[in-house]
Amino acid sequence: MWPMRCAAPCCSAPARPLEDAVHDVFVVAGAAVTRLDDVYGTESADLLAEYGGRRVLVGVKSANNRLPHSLPDKLLKQLNTWPHLTDTEPVDGGILVVNRQSKLPAARRDAELYTDRVFAEALTVPVIGSTCPFGW
C-alpha cells in the first residue's frame, strides 16, 4: 500500500519546482524515487517511485484551469511504452499528480479535479491534486 491516499480523483507543462515537491513527498514517505528526465534526457516531469516492493510511474503535471480529459491517457501511453524501453524493470501502474489552480492559495483550490463525475469515476489510474498529500 502506498503511504499517500487521496479521496479526490486528479496538465501539462513540466515544472521542476512541482516535480521537486512531489519527489520530496515520496522520499519523506519512504519511497525510493528516480527522476526519469535525468535518466532518459526528457522533459516530461515523470518520476519512478518504489515502495514496499511496488514500482509506479508518477506523472507530474500542471494546469491553470480545467484539466483536459486526455491527461490520464498520456500516463496510460507511458505505461504501455515502458516495457519497450531497454534496461527497465516492470512497473505496477501509475499515478498522476496535478497542480491545478496555482494562482489560488492551496486551501482555496477546488477539491474535485474533474467536475464530470462519470469521467472521474471511470478513470483507470489515480489522479490526485498536488495539495492532497498535505491535507489542504
Side-chain angles (χ1 to χ4, degrees):
M1 177 79 45
W2 282 93
M4 297 182 299
R5 293 204 145 250
C6 177
C10 235
C11 242
S12 250
R16 192 67 184 223
L18 177 58
E19 179 185 346
D20 290 344
V22 173
H23 171 277
D24 293 350
V25 167
F26 274 96
V27 169
V28 167
V33 182
T34 303
R35 295 175 187 274
L36 297 177
D37 291 348
D38 294 346
V39 173
Y40 295 106
T42 58
E43 293 183 10
S44 60
D46 292 314
L47 307 169
L48 176 67
E50 301 179 58
Y51 181 83
R54 295 188 63 210
R55 297 164 40 92
V56 296
L57 292 179
V58 180
V60 181
K61 307 300 176 200
S62 184
N64 287 331
N65 295 309
R66 288 186 172 188
L67 300 184
H69 283 189
S70 62
L71 195 56
D73 291 336
K74 293 178 183 181
L75 178 59
L76 291 171
K77 182 178 179 182
Q78 289 173 309
L79 288 168
N80 289 332
T81 303
W82 184 260
H84 303 290
L85 299 175
T86 58
D87 301 325
T88 59
E89 294 181 33
V91 293
D92 299 303
I95 300 171
L96 187 57
V97 179
V98 180
N99 188 43
R100 189 175 139 234
Q101 297 175 315
S102 57
K103 293 181 182 182
L104 293 175
R108 292 190 48 221
R109 296 178 191 175
D110 293 335
E112 297 295 326
L113 296 173
Y114 284 110
T115 56
D116 180 346
R117 296 300 324 144
V118 173
F119 176 80
E121 291 172 6
L123 289 170
T124 59
V125 293
V127 182
I128 64 171
S130 60
T131 60
C132 216
F134 303 103
W136 283 323

